[in-house]
Amino acid sequence: MSRVMSILNSNSKRRFKRMFKRKKVMFYKKISIIIIIIFSLELLYFFNNYDINNGKTMFYIKEKALTKEFNTKIKSGNLSTDYEIDQVIKDINYMKLNTINIPIVINIESLNSSDMNIDKYSLKKAENLINTLQGTNVSIILEPYPWIKDGSLSETKWKPQNIEAFFYNWKYKVLERIITTIGNPYNIDAINVASNLVCIEMYENQWCYVIKFVRDMYKGCVTYRTNWWCTSDEDEESYVNYQKKLNNKLFGEVDFISIAAYFELTDNNMSTVKDIVDSLSLSTAHNRNQNIKQQIYNFNKKWHKPIFFGELGFPKRIGAYSHPHNPKPSIIFNGSQQANGFKAYNKAFKDEDWLLGFSVFAIGEKFLDKTYYPSRKSIKVIRNWYD
């Protein structure tokens, strides 16, 4: 009996050892799989965020791109208001930009406010960045950036209660101070007198006075950025509004005309690059049949000024073609859709001599909430745009 028990105990021990060994092997296999997954994710993140030189050395720019002769195409980037200087340098290098658009935050209480003031921190940060870029030949555009109710409200809906007070304050509390503090001391290449002020753009005489006011104290280029628009075959008033925009005489006073190019192109999320290019000549979004490219060219044809896409961007989301002005048209990430948007604009406009260039919206900060920050595929398109 004792012999039998001994044999049984021996067999149990062997079975236990084999079972333990199998569990040990399975445990290490699981650990190995987890390590491989983590490594793969890290590798994917690295390749999607790889910087060719870690931002340590500026790539060579032979001469300033932004001059009044307009001999060189502008490849620019609009900085997020919360940009980091180190990231700006990396983005300039990685995307081979020759120009940057620096926003200076203008604090505004509400959509009805006629008063405003420059954010001191934003002004100082802009000056620090400009000092960092000294000697690099990177051209600079300064932009007073309306920051309404701590950035929660859009400048496109800003409608000052007292329009005379607005223009006075915009001239003396914003533009004059930016020019005397940074524009003239650093010989800044261009200033954007205003951007996307849809409800204020109609005051063309006042804007002409503003531009003259700026020219009297500043010798660099002057531009004004108008917001995107839409026309539809089913809406006659949309064509009337377009003609009013086109005929606004403020565009005759600037050196070049800037446009925030968030045009609604197509509702088809599966569109190819060719489809998007075609949509720029005949937009299929909402069945509008808008000839966007022709309407943009009309500004050059009428005012004999080069056209500049002062904002060109697509969110890294499904729905980017139909609502490029919406940072989150959906919750579904898609960097390829963003890249195809840039490819389409490149194919449609790259060789037009009347187009001065474009400015990518937005760079300088790449947190996860920055849906407009270019994907790796988009960066490749931007980097090789004029090569």
Side-chain angles (χ1 to χ4, degrees):
M1 184 70 178
S2 61
R3 180 177 175 80
V4 172
M5 290 299 294
S6 176
I7 291 171
L8 289 173
N9 288 335
S10 177
N11 288 337
S12 296
K13 286 180 181 178
R14 282 197 295 271
R15 283 198 300 271
F16 177 78
K17 285 181 179 179
R18 284 197 299 271
M19 184 177 68
F20 178 77
K21 188 175 182 180
R22 283 198 299 271
K23 286 187 176 181
K24 190 176 180 181
V25 170
M26 290 298 296
F27 172 78
Y28 282 118
K29 281 184 177 179
K30 288 179 180 179
I31 292 295
S32 299
I33 291 170
I34 291 170
I35 291 172
I36 290 170
I37 291 172
I38 292 172
F39 177 76
S40 299
L41 290 172
E42 291 289 337
L43 197 64
L44 182 63
Y45 178 84
F46 172 78
F47 281 116
N48 274 282
N49 295 276
Y50 177 62
D51 182 359
I52 54 174
N53 60 14
N54 293 319
K56 293 180 180 178
T57 307
M58 292 295 295
F59 80 93
Y60 178 66
I61 301 175
K62 184 178 180 181
E63 58 187 3
K64 289 271 190 176
L66 184 48
T67 66
K68 289 192 175 182
E69 288 73 34
F70 303 125
N71 293 325
T72 304
K73 294 285 189 179
I74 298 174
K75 186 161 66 168
S76 175
N78 289 67
L79 306 187
S80 301
T81 54
D82 57 350
Y83 65 87
E84 295 292 338
I85 291 177
D86 287 346
Q87 186 62 47
V88 173
I89 303 304
K90 290 180 181 181
D91 289 341
I92 291 171
N93 285 321
Y94 200 4
M95 300 180 209
K96 291 179 68 175
L97 305 177
N98 56 31
T99 304
I100 57 168
N101 184 102
I102 303 178
I104 298 173
V105 170
I106 309 301
N107 292 314
I108 300 155
E109 288 187 1
S110 73
L111 291 175
N112 295 321
S113 296
S114 305
D115 199 8
M116 70 288 293
N117 61 78
I118 293 177
D119 186 270
K120 293 180 181 179
Y121 173 77
S122 180
L123 186 67
K124 184 62 179 176
K125 186 165 73 164
E127 188 172 10
N128 291 339
L129 175 56
I130 292 165
N131 276 316
T132 302
L133 293 172
Q134 290 291 297
T136 64
N137 279 337
V138 174
S139 297
I140 293 171
I141 302 171
L142 292 179
E143 175 192 2
Y145 194 97
W147 195 248
I148 306 173
K149 201 175 180 181
D150 296 323
S152 64
L153 299 173
S154 172
E155 72 277 12
T156 60
K157 298 178 181 178
W158 187 15
K159 198 170 184 179
Q161 193 170 26
N162 186 330
I163 200 66
E164 290 184 6
F166 160 79
F167 277 106
Y168 180 89
N169 291 326
W170 194 254
K171 285 193 298 184
Y172 291 101
K173 297 181 73 172
V174 174
L175 294 172
E176 184 178 54
R177 187 176 174 199
I178 289 174
I179 291 168
T180 57
T181 305
I182 294 179
N184 286 336
Y186 291 96
N187 295 314
I188 297 301
D189 306 287
I191 188 165
N192 202 331
V193 295
S195 303
N196 306 330
L197 301 185
V198 174
C199 301
I200 313 175
E201 190 173 292
M202 68 182 76
Y203 298 98
E204 53 187 320
N205 288 331
Q206 288 91 328
W207 282 118
C208 290
Y209 294 144
V210 168
I211 295 167
K212 182 181 184 304
F213 173 81
V214 169
R215 288 198 185 281
D216 286 344
M217 70 176 79
Y218 172 71
K219 302 306 178 187
C221 292
V222 178
T223 189
Y224 171 94
R225 187 189 306 151
T226 192
N227 199 37
W228 69 280
W229 61 88
C230 64
T231 58
S232 172
D233 289 347
E234 299 176 356
D235 182 5
E236 281 190 33
E237 189 177 358
S238 68
Y239 284 96
V240 173
N241 291 333
Y242 167 69
Q243 287 298 321
K244 287 180 180 177
K245 179 186 282 283
L246 176 64
N247 293 317
N248 191 320
K249 61 186 180 183
L250 79 84
F251 296 116
E253 302 300 320
V254 296
D255 293 298
F256 60 96
I257 298 169
S258 296
I259 297 174
Y262 298 111
F263 295 98
E264 297 176 346
L265 304 174
T266 175
D267 299 320
N268 182 4
N269 291 322
M270 303 304 292
S271 295
T272 64
V273 173
K274 182 183 181 304
D275 292 336
I276 307 168
V277 171
D278 291 342
S279 293
L280 281 162
S281 294
L282 193 68
S283 170
T284 59
H286 310 293
N287 297 313
R288 289 193 184 119
N289 296 325
Q290 180 183 7
N291 192 336
I292 296 166
K293 185 174 180 179
Q294 181 63 48
Q295 289 179 356
I296 291 171
Y297 170 62
N298 289 344
F299 281 86
N300 170 264
K301 187 176 179 181
K302 179 173 181 61
W303 298 108
H304 308 290
K305 303 292 175 72
I307 308 301
F308 176 61
F309 290 141
E311 287 182 50
L312 180 60
F314 300 87
K316 298 187 290 286
R317 294 288 189 275
I318 292 292
Y321 307 144
S322 58
H323 295 91
H325 46 83
N326 183 353
K328 295 179 181 178
S330 74
I331 61 172
I332 305 172
F333 176 90
N334 194 308
S336 296
Q337 190 165 110
Q338 182 195 58
N340 286 344
F342 283 116
K343 286 179 183 177
Y345 268 83
N346 176 274
K347 286 182 178 293
F349 292 98
K350 178 180 176 181
D351 296 326
E352 300 294 350
D353 57 6
W354 49 267
L355 189 78
L356 182 59
F358 68 100
S359 193
V360 178
F361 187 92
I363 66 167
E365 185 50 81
K366 52 193 293 188
F367 288 140
L368 291 176
D369 65 329
K370 303 297 184 184
T371 59
Y372 283 101
Y373 185 85
S375 66
R376 182 169 176 255
K377 290 181 178 180
S378 296
I379 289 173
K380 186 177 180 181
V381 177
I382 295 162
R383 181 175 172 80
N384 298 316
W385 197 288
Y386 287 122
D387 289 349

